[in-house]
Amino acid sequence: GLLTGTAATAGLYLVLVAAFVHVFGASLATVPEAGSALAAHVFGDSALTAMTVLIALAITGTLNATVLGGARVAWAMARDGALWRPIGRLAPRTEVPARALWLQAGLATLIVLSGTFDGIYTLTSLAMVVAATLTVLALFRLRRTQSAADRPYRAWGYPWLPGLFVGSNLVVIGVMIRRAIQGAEGGWYPLLGLGLLIVGWAGHRALHGGSGDDRPPEPDRAS
């Protein structure tokens, strides 16, 4: 299911991008929102509103999944002792991480009020690339340190495909750092986001004393 869904999504995305390039050509870089612009170009101005509504609904669905997933991360971190313990409690009636949701809502509100969408996106971009790179690098480390572990699923194309992923991400990281050093507009935002990631990692290490094997028992649900 994961492979089929990924392949289908990638195929549809390539078809959509091909349509953008066919209609707009080199001017695609200057189009504010390609999906709505393409709909208006092909079907007229009436399609612009319909496409905008569809995009808004799609974004809402994505936000729903992101909000729920992010709260679960904070809840799990609290169980590990990396956040305040009360955040790791579930609501007694709904059994959802309500406190983690409120914490996430507060942080998201502060981030939104701090700058524009582009600035927020740029702030998190480098940290997300670094986190993804470290995740795949963990595959190489675990293969070496736990070579005898039971692996019902083995990464296809190992080590070449994971290595290609890591190499590509390192290029992206290098470009972002170079833009920051050259003083490009907004180039320092990714470094700030990376700094926040490092602060979070250092805090986690300090709370755990450098070990991740002493996981405490799951806290009781909130009374």
Side-chain angles (χ1 to χ4, degrees):
L2 290 173
L3 294 175
T4 303
T6 301
T9 303
L12 290 173
Y13 179 77
L14 291 175
V15 171
L16 187 62
V17 171
F20 291 155
V21 174
H22 176 73
V23 172
F24 299 112
S27 63
L28 177 61
T30 64
V31 177
E33 204 291 297
S36 299
L38 178 63
H41 179 85
V42 176
F43 300 106
D45 292 339
S46 59
L48 178 61
T49 301
M51 181 57 67
T52 303
V53 171
L54 288 175
I55 292 174
L57 291 175
I59 292 175
T60 302
T62 302
L63 284 174
N64 178 64
T66 303
V67 167
L68 294 178
R72 287 289 178 179
V73 171
W75 169 73
M77 291 174 64
R79 290 178 57 199
D80 283 344
L83 280 177
W84 302 284
R85 288 302 181 94
I87 303 298
R89 296 175 181 171
L90 299 177
R93 183 175 62 85
T94 60
E95 296 191 355
V96 299
R99 295 181 178 181
L101 285 168
W102 280 112
L103 174 64
Q104 181 176 250
L107 292 174
T109 301
L110 292 176
I111 292 174
V112 169
L113 294 175
S114 66
T116 64
F117 173 81
D118 290 339
I120 296 170
Y121 178 80
T122 306
L123 179 71
T124 60
S125 58
L126 181 57
M128 292 176 64
V129 175
V130 170
T133 304
L134 292 174
T135 300
V136 177
L137 284 175
L139 174 63
F140 292 90
R141 176 176 174 81
L142 291 174
R143 284 286 187 97
R144 186 179 72 253
T145 59
Q146 301 182 19
S147 57
D150 181 33
R151 291 183 170 85
Y153 174 81
R154 301 179 69 88
W156 183 77
Y158 179 87
W160 304 110
L161 283 183
L164 177 62
F165 177 85
V166 171
S168 301
N169 280 8
L170 290 177
V171 172
V172 174
I173 293 170
V175 170
M176 289 184 174
I177 294 176
R178 181 180 179 184
R179 290 186 72 251
I181 295 175
Q182 292 177 341
E185 183 179 358
W188 61 274
Y189 268 96
L191 296 183
L192 176 60
L194 182 60
L196 293 175
L197 180 66
I198 294 174
V199 169
W201 171 80
H204 186 272
R205 295 277 295 184
L207 288 171
H208 281 274
S211 173
D213 298 329
D214 53 348
R215 184 173 187 168
E218 180 179 352
D220 294 334
R221 291 181 174 85
S223 56

